[in-house]
């Protein structure tokens, strides 16, 4: 089985959802029984694959990949810790968005893994916010805690404005609005044109609340360009209907 795992991992993304689910179950059952050094050999490569499965069309695949990510992350303690840190940081925003899913089997492990990631990174404040489910403050924390990641987070959020679930799309729009209020910490000016285009594409969204929120966020983006110190409150974006 140990000989087969690398091949299974390499073909994970090419398989259909049913096969992906079975492969993930295999990893979940096998990894706890592997020697630590054996697990470390595949941890980093598997973590990268799992990140791409967080957004799989199958809720079961999303659930299993998120659960497995936490297990894989914990095996990287030691010489691979620094490399795993980058993977974990890249997982924070996707996990945050998936906590907004209406599918509880995905939302619950997303909260659990987000908290575990925060503990792995030593970000105690984020761990507390995840444990207590303080959604608005988590968005603010991600934007302000590690400023050199702000551009990356914003680019990641663009993928979620097209998510099939309205609750996830809404969370992505709200996050972009929060980032707008911290525009001065971002480095890529072109991002705002990209964001504005993405938000305008939601003008025909099926959900009235998302259409309104997107329009409001576009106005905020425009206001920020004209008045960088506008009086908008970061948290107000999480309160608007």
């Amino acid at each position: 089985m140990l000989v087969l795992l690398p091949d299974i991992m390499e073909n994970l993304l090419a398989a259909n959802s049913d096969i992906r689910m079975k492969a993930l179950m295999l990893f979940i059952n096998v990894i706890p029984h592997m020697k630590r050094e054996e697990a470390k050999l595949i941890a980093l490569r598997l973590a990268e694959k799992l990140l791409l499965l967080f957004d799989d069309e199958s809720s079961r695949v999303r659930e299993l990949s998120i659960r497995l990510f936490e297990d894989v992350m914990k095996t990287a303690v030691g010489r691979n810790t620094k490399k795993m840190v980058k993977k974990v940081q890249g997982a924070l925003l996707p996990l945050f968005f998936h906590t907004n899913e209406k599918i509880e089997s995905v939302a619950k492990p997303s909260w659990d893994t987000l908290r575990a990631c925060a503990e792995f990174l030593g970000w105690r404040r984020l761990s507390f916010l995840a444990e207590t489910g303080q959604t608005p403050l988590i968005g603010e924390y991600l934007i302000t805690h590690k400023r050199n990641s702000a551009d990356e987070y914003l680019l990641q959020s663009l993928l979620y404005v097209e998510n099939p679930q309205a609750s996830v799309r809404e969370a992505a729009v709200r996050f972009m609005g929060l980032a707008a209020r911290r525009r001065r910490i971002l480095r890529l000016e072109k991002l705002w044109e990209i964001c504005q285009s993405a938000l305008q594409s939601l003008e025909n969204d099926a959900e009235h609340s998302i259409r309104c929120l997107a329009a409001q966020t576009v106005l905020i983006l425009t206001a920020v360009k004209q008045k960088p110190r506008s009086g908008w409150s970061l948290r107000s974006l999480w309160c608007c209907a």
Side-chain angles (χ1 to χ4, degrees):
M1 183 60 68
L2 292 178
V3 175
L4 293 175
L5 287 181
D7 287 337
I8 295 173
M9 179 175 60
E10 289 304 320
N11 291 286
L12 190 58
L13 299 180
N16 61 41
S17 292
D18 186 56
I19 295 177
R20 288 177 179 176
M21 180 181 66
K22 293 176 180 177
L24 291 170
M25 285 297 300
L26 176 64
F27 280 110
I28 288 173
N29 289 325
V30 171
I31 286 181
H33 301 288
M34 296 173 66
K35 294 179 181 179
R36 181 170 292 275
E37 288 304 317
E38 292 172 337
K40 285 181 179 179
L41 291 176
I42 66 170
L44 285 173
R45 291 163 59 197
L46 183 55
E48 186 173 348
K49 302 287 185 181
L50 294 174
L51 283 170
L52 298 174
L53 295 180
F54 284 7
D55 301 314
D56 194 89
E57 62 181 13
S58 165
S59 63
R60 181 61 171 160
V61 171
R62 294 198 301 277
E63 174 194 348
L64 293 174
S65 62
I66 289 170
R67 290 186 184 279
L68 182 55
F69 186 86
E70 180 178 353
D71 294 337
V72 168
M73 174 183 66
K74 292 177 180 178
T75 69
V77 177
R79 64 181 181 180
N80 288 327
T81 300
K82 289 185 179 180
K83 293 181 180 179
M84 184 59 79
V85 163
K86 293 183 179 180
K87 307 294 184 186
V88 173
Q89 289 177 347
L92 295 176
L93 190 60
L95 287 171
F96 172 58
F97 285 143
H98 285 295
T99 64
N100 291 274
E101 286 206 28
K102 295 299 184 182
I103 303 173
E104 183 62 23
S105 62
V106 179
K108 177 60 167 59
S110 295
W111 279 116
D112 294 340
T113 303
L114 179 61
R115 184 174 64 252
C117 286
E119 292 173 356
F120 178 87
L121 295 171
W123 296 3
R124 295 182 180 179
R125 175 65 174 167
L126 179 59
S127 177
F128 172 76
L129 294 175
E131 184 175 2
T132 53
Q134 298 189 52
T135 302
L137 295 181
I138 291 175
E140 292 181 33
Y141 182 93
L142 291 176
I143 293 168
T144 59
H145 178 72
K146 196 170 178 61
R147 294 190 172 192
N148 59 0
S149 296
D151 290 333
E152 181 181 349
Y153 286 150
L154 196 53
L155 285 171
Q156 282 183 304
S157 68
L158 292 173
L159 300 175
Y160 291 89
V161 298
E162 299 178 355
N163 191 276
Q165 294 188 58
S167 57
V168 177
R169 294 199 304 278
E170 182 174 335
V173 175
R174 291 185 188 280
F175 183 84
M176 292 170 70
L178 293 177
R181 293 300 306 123
R182 296 290 184 177
R183 182 175 182 271
R184 61 184 177 277
I185 73 175
L186 301 177
R187 294 167 293 169
L188 302 179
E189 294 291 326
K190 185 68 176 178
L191 273 180
W192 296 109
E193 295 179 22
I194 297 173
C195 290
Q196 198 159 345
S197 176
L199 291 167
Q200 288 172 340
S201 71
L202 295 175
E203 289 179 352
N204 298 315
D205 194 275
E207 297 291 329
H208 174 73
S209 60
I210 294 178
R211 294 198 301 270
C212 293
L213 183 62
Q216 181 179 7
T217 306
V218 169
L219 290 175
I220 293 175
L221 283 170
T222 304
V224 168
K225 287 181 180 180
Q226 298 173 351
K227 299 179 180 180
R229 302 199 177 194
S230 171
W232 284 88
S233 166
L234 280 169
R235 298 180 190 178
S236 67
L237 280 168
W238 293 91
C239 300
C240 62

